[in-house]
Amino acid sequence: MLGSNFDLVFKGDSRNNMVLLTDKDRVPSMLRFTIAMFVRADSKFKSGTLFGYSVEQNIGETILLNFSSLQIHLQVKGKVISADSTIADDKWHFVAGVWNGETGVASLYLDGVEIGKENNILKGSLMLGGGWISLGKRYLATQNKTDPSTSFSGTLHQVNVWSTAAQPDHLRLAAQRCTWPIPGSLKGWTDFLFGIKGEVEKKFKSECKGA
């Protein structure tokens, strides 16, 4: 069994540096999800894509978790939830995006605290399965290409994806420690090792520091 005590280091000046999972047939349709990770973003690069999901058959079936110089964004099928925050500061942060299609509630978390929340976000909708999951850059499945302008420069640790909408208390506790006993039900941290492209560096052991 692969250990999870590692980091993935991305250099944003390369077109090829990313993680792209090709086992799209194993990704089910989702009524809800939680994406959570630890991030150390390079202060020299003020924006980047942390997580992306894209379905080849439908351009609208997308998820993006990214940041700009002053905000963090969660995009679900084109609906964007944003929260004011600066994470490109060379420090470790816990970042999470949560969407519940049953209730229509979407939230953003930073260091265990809910910093953004929107209601009526695609209530009753289902995110289509069979998509490509990427880290460090946006992948456009309908065009079979990446978008270099969305490159992330920095370090990721413990990226996990669940098919449930996590409760605030769970994320508050998760932010406090960099080791999680239970991996994501859709994707666990070690799953991403199999999709490394370019010069993404694996670093054992992790330098992560909890919030």
Side-chain angles (χ1 to χ4, degrees):
M1 182 177 178
L2 293 170
S4 62
N5 189 17
F6 66 90
D7 296 331
L8 292 181
V9 182
F10 297 76
K11 298 177 181 178
D13 54 356
S14 170
R15 288 176 171 268
N16 301 319
N17 292 347
M18 66 182 302
V19 171
L20 183 64
L21 299 185
T22 59
D23 60 344
K24 57 188 180 65
D25 293 338
R26 299 179 61 185
V27 180
S29 294
M30 295 166 275
L31 180 60
R32 55 185 72 84
F33 64 73
T34 299
I35 303 161
M37 66 190 72
F38 288 91
V39 181
R40 184 171 62 189
D42 190 330
S43 60
K44 296 189 295 293
F45 297 81
K46 299 301 183 182
S47 64
T49 295
L50 303 173
F51 177 95
Y53 177 77
S54 180
V55 177
E56 187 175 355
Q57 295 83 2
N58 192 322
I59 194 171
E61 299 289 325
T62 59
I63 303 169
L64 281 176
L65 183 59
N66 58 1
F67 65 93
S68 56
S69 59
L70 298 175
Q71 291 187 316
I72 302 174
H73 313 278
L74 173 65
Q75 179 177 319
V76 184
K77 293 190 179 189
K79 301 290 186 180
V80 181
I81 303 94
S82 299
D84 293 341
S85 183
T86 300
I87 65 169
D89 58 4
D90 300 316
K91 299 177 182 178
W92 283 103
H93 295 283
F94 175 81
V95 177
V98 181
W99 173 68
N100 189 333
E102 188 174 11
T103 63
V105 175
S107 300
L108 278 165
Y109 290 80
L110 178 65
D111 297 332
V113 177
E114 186 179 61
I115 60 171
K117 182 178 180 179
E118 295 284 350
N119 297 311
N120 299 316
I121 300 296
L122 302 165
K123 183 177 180 180
S125 294
L126 195 68
M127 179 65 66
L128 189 65
W132 301 74
I133 293 175
S134 63
L135 302 180
K137 199 180 271 83
R138 185 177 184 182
Y139 177 71
L140 306 170
T142 54
Q143 302 176 42
N144 190 27
K145 70 176 186 179
T146 60
D147 182 353
S149 68
T150 65
S151 295
F152 165 69
S153 183
T155 306
L156 297 181
H157 179 67
Q158 283 289 3
V159 181
N160 285 272
V161 187
W162 289 269
S163 58
T164 58
Q167 296 300 309
D169 284 350
H170 296 159
L171 294 173
R172 177 179 57 81
L173 292 173
Q176 297 174 15
R177 46 186 309 192
C178 295
T179 55
W180 298 347
I182 302 175
S185 57
L186 288 178
K187 293 296 173 186
W189 182 219
T190 56
D191 293 330
F192 293 99
L193 285 172
F194 301 100
I196 291 175
K197 310 291 182 186
E199 299 177 358
V200 174
E201 181 184 357
K202 304 182 292 290
K203 290 187 69 173
F204 296 89
K205 67 181 187 178
S206 175
E207 298 178 351
C208 177
K209 296 180 180 179

